[in-house]
mmCIF file of all heavy atoms in Angstrom:
data_model
loop_
_atom_site.group_PDB
_atom_site.id
_atom_site.type_symbol
_atom_site.label_atom_id
_atom_site.label_comp_id
_atom_site.label_asym_id
_atom_site.label_seq_id
_atom_site.Cartn_x
_atom_site.Cartn_y
_atom_site.Cartn_z
ATOM 1 N N GLY A 276 -11.356 7.761 35.837
ATOM 2 C CA GLY A 276 -10.614 6.504 35.964
ATOM 3 C C GLY A 276 -10.522 5.735 34.656
ATOM 4 O O GLY A 276 -10.309 4.522 34.653
ATOM 5 N N VAL A 277 -10.666 6.437 33.537
ATOM 6 C CA VAL A 277 -10.685 5.773 32.231
ATOM 7 C C VAL A 277 -9.387 6.069 31.481
ATOM 8 O O VAL A 277 -8.960 7.219 31.402
ATOM 9 C CB VAL A 277 -11.899 6.256 31.398
ATOM 10 C CG1 VAL A 277 -11.803 5.745 29.972
ATOM 11 C CG2 VAL A 277 -13.200 5.817 32.049
ATOM 12 N N GLU A 278 -8.757 5.004 30.951
ATOM 13 C CA GLU A 278 -7.525 5.168 30.188
ATOM 14 C C GLU A 278 -7.881 5.245 28.702
ATOM 15 O O GLU A 278 -8.556 4.356 28.191
ATOM 16 C CB GLU A 278 -6.635 3.946 30.433
ATOM 17 C CG GLU A 278 -5.168 4.268 30.483
ATOM 18 C CD GLU A 278 -4.347 3.007 30.783
ATOM 19 O OE1 GLU A 278 -4.879 2.075 31.406
ATOM 20 O OE2 GLU A 278 -3.191 2.967 30.366
ATOM 21 N N THR A 279 -7.428 6.281 28.012
ATOM 22 C CA THR A 279 -7.744 6.369 26.583
ATOM 23 C C THR A 279 -6.957 5.324 25.803
ATOM 24 O O THR A 279 -5.871 4.909 26.207
ATOM 25 C CB THR A 279 -7.424 7.762 26.016
ATOM 26 O OG1 THR A 279 -6.017 7.978 26.101
ATOM 27 C CG2 THR A 279 -8.172 8.845 26.762
ATOM 28 N N GLY A 280 -7.535 4.910 24.703
ATOM 29 C CA GLY A 280 -6.868 3.906 23.868
ATOM 30 C C GLY A 280 -7.822 3.359 22.834
ATOM 31 O O GLY A 280 -9.030 3.619 22.881
ATOM 32 N N ASP A 281 -7.250 2.626 21.876
ATOM 33 C CA ASP A 281 -8.043 1.898 20.882
ATOM 34 C C ASP A 281 -7.882 0.414 21.177
ATOM 35 O O ASP A 281 -6.752 -0.074 21.316
ATOM 36 C CB ASP A 281 -7.538 2.215 19.464
ATOM 37 C CG ASP A 281 -7.745 3.676 19.085
ATOM 38 O OD1 ASP A 281 -8.824 4.210 19.389
ATOM 39 O OD2 ASP A 281 -6.817 4.272 18.502
ATOM 40 N N TYR A 282 -9.002 -0.287 21.259
ATOM 41 C CA TYR A 282 -8.969 -1.685 21.692
ATOM 42 C C TYR A 282 -9.775 -2.558 20.734
ATOM 43 O O TYR A 282 -10.897 -2.193 20.362
ATOM 44 C CB TYR A 282 -9.550 -1.817 23.098
ATOM 45 C CG TYR A 282 -8.899 -0.899 24.103
ATOM 46 C CD1 TYR A 282 -9.472 0.334 24.430
ATOM 47 C CD2 TYR A 282 -7.693 -1.247 24.702
ATOM 48 C CE1 TYR A 282 -8.864 1.186 25.336
ATOM 49 C CE2 TYR A 282 -7.076 -0.402 25.608
ATOM 50 C CZ TYR A 282 -7.666 0.819 25.927
ATOM 51 O OH TYR A 282 -7.060 1.657 26.809
ATOM 52 N N ILE A 283 -9.216 -3.680 20.347
ATOM 53 C CA ILE A 283 -9.940 -4.638 19.511
ATOM 54 C C ILE A 283 -9.792 -6.024 20.135
ATOM 55 O O ILE A 283 -8.670 -6.452 20.433
ATOM 56 C CB ILE A 283 -9.378 -4.657 18.071
ATOM 57 C CG1 ILE A 283 -9.558 -3.281 17.416
ATOM 58 C CG2 ILE A 283 -10.074 -5.735 17.231
ATOM 59 C CD1 ILE A 283 -8.862 -3.141 16.063
ATOM 60 N N ARG A 284 -10.918 -6.677 20.337
ATOM 61 C CA ARG A 284 -10.891 -8.056 20.846
ATOM 62 C C ARG A 284 -11.698 -8.928 19.895
ATOM 63 O O ARG A 284 -12.888 -8.702 19.692
ATOM 64 C CB ARG A 284 -11.513 -8.122 22.237
ATOM 65 C CG ARG A 284 -10.605 -7.623 23.354
ATOM 66 C CD ARG A 284 -11.340 -7.488 24.659
ATOM 67 N NE ARG A 284 -12.314 -6.403 24.612
ATOM 68 C CZ ARG A 284 -12.036 -5.123 24.880
ATOM 69 N NH1 ARG A 284 -10.817 -4.770 25.228
ATOM 70 N NH2 ARG A 284 -12.978 -4.202 24.796
ATOM 71 N N ILE A 285 -11.013 -9.888 19.306
ATOM 72 C CA ILE A 285 -11.697 -10.847 18.439
ATOM 73 C C ILE A 285 -11.826 -12.161 19.196
ATOM 74 O O ILE A 285 -10.824 -12.703 19.668
ATOM 75 C CB ILE A 285 -10.919 -11.064 17.119
ATOM 76 C CG1 ILE A 285 -10.869 -9.756 16.321
ATOM 77 C CG2 ILE A 285 -11.559 -12.180 16.287
ATOM 78 C CD1 ILE A 285 -10.116 -9.860 15.002
ATOM 79 N N GLU A 286 -13.069 -12.635 19.328
ATOM 80 C CA GLU A 286 -13.291 -13.991 19.842
ATOM 81 C C GLU A 286 -13.334 -14.904 18.645
ATOM 82 O O GLU A 286 -14.269 -14.848 17.845
ATOM 83 C CB GLU A 286 -14.643 -14.083 20.559
ATOM 84 C CG GLU A 286 -14.613 -13.682 22.002
ATOM 85 C CD GLU A 286 -15.985 -13.856 22.644
ATOM 86 O OE1 GLU A 286 -16.677 -14.850 22.349
ATOM 87 O OE2 GLU A 286 -16.374 -12.958 23.407
ATOM 88 N N GLY A 287 -12.315 -15.718 18.496
ATOM 89 C CA GLY A 287 -12.271 -16.592 17.334
ATOM 90 C C GLY A 287 -11.124 -17.561 17.475
ATOM 91 O O GLY A 287 -10.562 -17.735 18.558
ATOM 92 N N SER A 288 -10.786 -18.187 16.374
ATOM 93 C CA SER A 288 -9.627 -19.073 16.397
ATOM 94 C C SER A 288 -8.598 -18.529 15.417
ATOM 95 O O SER A 288 -8.815 -18.590 14.227
ATOM 96 C CB SER A 288 -10.033 -20.494 16.000
ATOM 97 O OG SER A 288 -10.830 -20.456 14.822
#
Side-chain angles (χ1 to χ4, degrees):
Chain A
V277 171
E278 216 178 334
T279 64
D281 295 317
Y282 306 97
I283 298 172
R284 283 170 291 274
I285 296 180
E286 274 182 40
S288 48

